[in-house]
Amino acid sequence: MNPMIQTLDSLETIPHGKGDSFAAETVSQGIATRVGERICLEAADEIPLFLAVKGKALIGIVASLENILNESVLAYLKKAFASLSLEGKDFEAILGPSLTFSHVPASKELLQATFDRGYRLGTKGTSGETFLDPQMLLFKQLRSLGIAPEHILISDYDTFENPSLLYSIARGGTQKNVFEGVLR
C-alpha cells in the first residue's frame, strides 16, 4: 500500500515516484467530469493540486512558486469554477507532496514584495536566510475562493526530504513524479 495516497470524499490522489512502474497515458492539467476519470500531473518539487466536487468535477494543476505568486493558479481556478458553474464552497482540495518552506529560500526583496501583496507567509531561519511557504500561500488563495479549511488536505511528504520515495530537482535530480487524481 502506498503510504502517500490521500483520500477525501470527492477525490483520491495517488503519487507515483521512485520504484513505481506506473506509466501515465496522459500527463496534463485539466478538468474531468466523470466518476472514476483521472487526471495525471507531472511535478518534482512543485505542488500537484487537485480540487473536486463529488461526482461532478475534478480539476488538476501544477502550482509552482512562480504561478502561485503571480496568481495564475488562482485565475485558472476561477475560470474553471465558472466553466463548471460551481463555487469554491463546493470543492475539496488536496495539495500533494512538494517542497516545504525550509527548502524554498527567497531573497529579502521577494519576501518583502510578497508581504506587500498581503501574503505574510515567510520566515527567517536561524541562519538568517529567508524562506517562503508555497503550501500556505496556495492555502490562502484557496481560502479566498471560498474553500473551507477543513476541506483542504496538505500532504505531509516533502519531495526533498523523502529521497527513497520521491524525485526532487532541488536534490539535483532530473526526473519528475506523476501524481494521479481520481474523481469519486
Side-chain angles (χ1 to χ4, degrees):
M1 175 91 180
N2 183 334
M4 296 182 292
I5 291 174
Q6 296 177 290
T7 305
L8 291 172
D9 192 41
S10 61
L11 75 150
E12 179 173 74
T13 62
I14 306 151
H16 301 282
K18 286 188 172 179
D20 192 330
S21 61
F22 177 81
E25 294 174 19
T26 305
V27 176
S28 66
Q29 70 182 29
I31 299 173
T33 56
R34 292 186 315 274
V35 172
E37 195 170 357
R38 300 168 186 273
I39 293 176
C40 292
L41 302 175
E42 195 173 52
D45 296 320
E46 311 87 355
I47 302 170
L49 172 63
F50 293 96
L51 299 96
V53 175
K54 188 171 184 166
K56 292 186 179 180
L58 171 67
I59 301 169
I61 184 171
V62 175
S64 67
L65 179 60
E66 180 182 348
N67 67 21
I68 293 168
L69 289 174
N70 70 22
E71 297 185 350
S72 61
V73 171
L74 192 60
Y76 176 82
L77 294 175
K78 286 178 181 179
K79 285 181 186 176
F81 290 7
S83 74
L84 295 163
S85 299
L86 294 168
E87 297 178 33
K89 66 178 179 58
D90 301 322
F91 282 87
E92 293 181 316
I94 294 178
L95 287 68
S98 63
L99 289 180
T100 55
F101 79 93
S102 62
H103 301 294
V104 185
S107 69
K108 290 179 183 176
E109 295 79 18
L110 177 59
L111 192 62
Q112 186 59 53
T114 304
F115 286 0
D116 292 345
R117 292 182 64 205
Y119 297 113
R120 304 225 179 256
L121 297 162
T123 188
K124 184 185 280 189
T126 55
S127 66
E129 191 172 13
T130 55
F131 300 92
L132 278 175
D133 191 335
Q135 294 172 326
M136 287 295 100
L137 290 166
L138 188 55
F139 178 87
K140 187 171 180 174
Q141 290 179 354
L142 294 174
R143 290 288 299 122
S144 78
L145 293 170
I147 302 173
E150 62 271 17
H151 293 155
I152 302 172
L153 180 59
I154 301 174
S155 175
D156 292 336
Y157 288 88
D158 181 316
T159 51
F160 187 90
E161 296 290 337
N162 289 280
S164 64
L165 297 172
L166 297 161
Y167 298 109
S168 172
I169 303 294
R171 261 195 334 267
T174 56
Q175 291 183 282
K176 294 191 173 195
N177 307 291
V178 175
F179 299 94
E180 181 181 11
V182 183
L183 180 62
R184 298 176 78 179

